[in-house]
């Protein structure tokens, strides 16, 4: 998990507020992925981004959720008007550009997660 | 991505080897086998991956059958810190949209003293 930095580690929001989760990928990585893990459930893919581009958002809820990965700065997962069902662990992961693949592939490394609690 | 089948849970004695099986009978030639684990309240941790040859690193060994339809992750000397959920994932590598990892239920491994 070394290198992928997520903050905040823990976030408490009241219903209706906004939550912003930040992710800095490992050095040299330009692909970012977001996953969500609801309590006692498995890891679910949300979105896959490259710098300034969303590649795959097939797992993103249609409303209230958005993600970006600007040219400069961290990737942001934004949840508007949070509800209690958004309480979960959100994990960010990163991988290298395809032209910088490691010997056998494009390994994805995860951060330690951001735990969102909606009260 | 091809689906995988893993036993939901298994116990292992501390100090003994742990052999974690995974079936991926529909795997295609462009799909790698990846193993991750998730210790409670932590992010998933990469363990090892392979295409068709057996692989070994400081954490584990990966044995892939010749037909690639199944594999086994071997933790050579399990410790209590190896207690975690272990995920076997097959991952398509030939196109950008296939880069993501799709997690199944995994195997909950409990290492006992």
């Amino acid at each position: 998990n070394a290198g992928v930095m997520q903050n905040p580690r823990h976030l408490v929001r009241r219903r209706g507020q906004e939550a912003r989760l930040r992710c800095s990928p490992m050095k040299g990585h330009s692909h970012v992925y977001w996953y969500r893990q609801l309590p006692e459930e498995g890891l679910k893919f949300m979105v896959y981004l490259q710098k300034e581009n969303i590649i795959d958002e097939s797992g993103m809820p249609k409303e209230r959720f958005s993600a970006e990965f600007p040219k400069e700065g961290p990737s942001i997962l934004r949840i508007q008007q949070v509800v209690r069902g958004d309480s979960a662990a959100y994990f960010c992961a990163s991988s290298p550009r395809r032209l910088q693949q490691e010997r056998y592939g494009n390994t994805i490394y995860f951060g330690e997660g951001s735990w969102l609690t909606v009260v | 991505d091809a689906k995988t089948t893993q036993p939901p849970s298994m116990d292992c004695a501390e100090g003994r080897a742990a052999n974690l099986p995974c079936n991926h009978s529909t795997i295609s030639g462009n799909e790698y086998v990846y193993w991750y684990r998730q210790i409670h309240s932590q992010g998933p941790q990469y363990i090892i991956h392979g295409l068709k040859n057996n692989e070994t690193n400081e954490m584990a060994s990966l044995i892939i059958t010749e037909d690639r339809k199944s594999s086994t992750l071997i933790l050579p000397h399990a410790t209590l810190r190896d207690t975690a959920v272990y995920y076997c994932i097959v991952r398509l590598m030939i196109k950008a949209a296939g880069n993501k990892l799709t997690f199944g239920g995994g195997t909950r491994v409990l290492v006992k003293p």
Side-chain angles (χ1 to χ4, degrees):
Chain A
N1 296 340
V4 180
M5 303 301 294
Q6 290 189 247
N7 68 83
R9 290 295 312 279
H10 298 276
L11 181 64
V12 179
R13 284 288 178 265
R14 296 185 185 278
R15 282 178 294 172
Q17 291 185 320
E18 179 179 285
R20 286 194 180 213
L21 309 177
R22 287 175 289 279
C23 171
S24 296
M26 285 180 68
K27 185 177 181 180
H29 287 192
S30 59
H31 295 196
V32 165
Y33 313 76
W34 285 94
Y35 286 77
R36 178 167 68 172
Q37 189 169 34
L38 295 169
E40 305 303 321
E41 294 191 14
L43 288 146
K44 301 298 183 185
F45 167 79
M46 300 180 75
V47 64
Y48 165 33
L49 311 102
Q50 294 177 12
K51 288 281 189 182
E52 300 183 285
N53 284 308
I54 295 175
I55 304 302
D56 180 353
E57 55 181 346
S58 58
M60 284 283 270
K62 299 301 181 188
E63 297 178 346
R64 301 187 297 107
F65 285 72
S66 63
E68 63 177 6
F69 189 16
K71 186 176 180 181
E72 301 291 338
S75 175
I76 305 289
L77 180 67
R78 181 185 180 198
I79 311 171
Q80 295 178 290
Q81 300 175 328
V82 296
V83 300
R84 288 217 171 115
D86 297 332
S87 294
Y90 292 83
F91 293 98
C92 173
S94 72
S95 64
R97 284 191 298 136
R98 291 185 70 81
L99 292 177
Q100 296 174 338
Q101 288 181 10
E102 299 163 52
R103 180 181 173 194
Y104 294 116
N106 194 10
T107 301
I108 295 175
Y109 295 93
F110 284 79
E112 289 297 331
S114 291
W115 267 257
L116 172 66
T117 302
V118 180
V119 297
Chain B
D1 291 347
K3 293 184 178 179
T4 63
T5 303
Q6 298 178 253
S9 65
M10 63 183 294
D11 293 346
C12 176
E14 186 180 19
R16 303 293 294 271
N19 296 292
L20 282 63
C22 179
N23 287 321
H24 30 79
S25 58
T26 60
I27 193 170
S28 70
N30 296 314
E31 288 177 316
Y32 284 72
V33 180
Y34 276 77
W35 283 83
Y36 283 79
R37 72 180 183 184
Q38 188 176 25
I39 297 170
H40 183 62
S41 296
Q42 296 184 21
Q45 179 186 21
Y46 165 77
I47 300 174
I48 199 167
H49 71 279
L51 182 61
K52 53 184 178 182
N53 297 323
N54 297 337
E55 302 288 346
T56 295
N57 63 21
E58 64 279 3
M59 288 184 68
S61 295
L62 174 60
I63 309 298
I64 303 175
T65 58
E66 192 170 344
D67 64 6
R68 302 187 70 238
K69 293 184 177 182
S70 66
S71 60
T72 300
L73 179 75
I74 302 173
L75 307 177
H77 304 287
T79 71
L80 299 180
R81 288 190 297 270
D82 292 322
T83 291
V85 179
Y86 287 75
Y87 297 97
C88 170
I89 302 166
V90 290
R91 182 184 177 209
L92 184 65
M93 295 295 289
I94 62 169
K95 57 181 181 180
N99 274 352
K100 68 188 181 192
L101 296 167
T102 301
F103 288 82
T107 296
R108 191 171 298 270
V109 174
L110 176 61
V111 180
K112 296 182 174 180

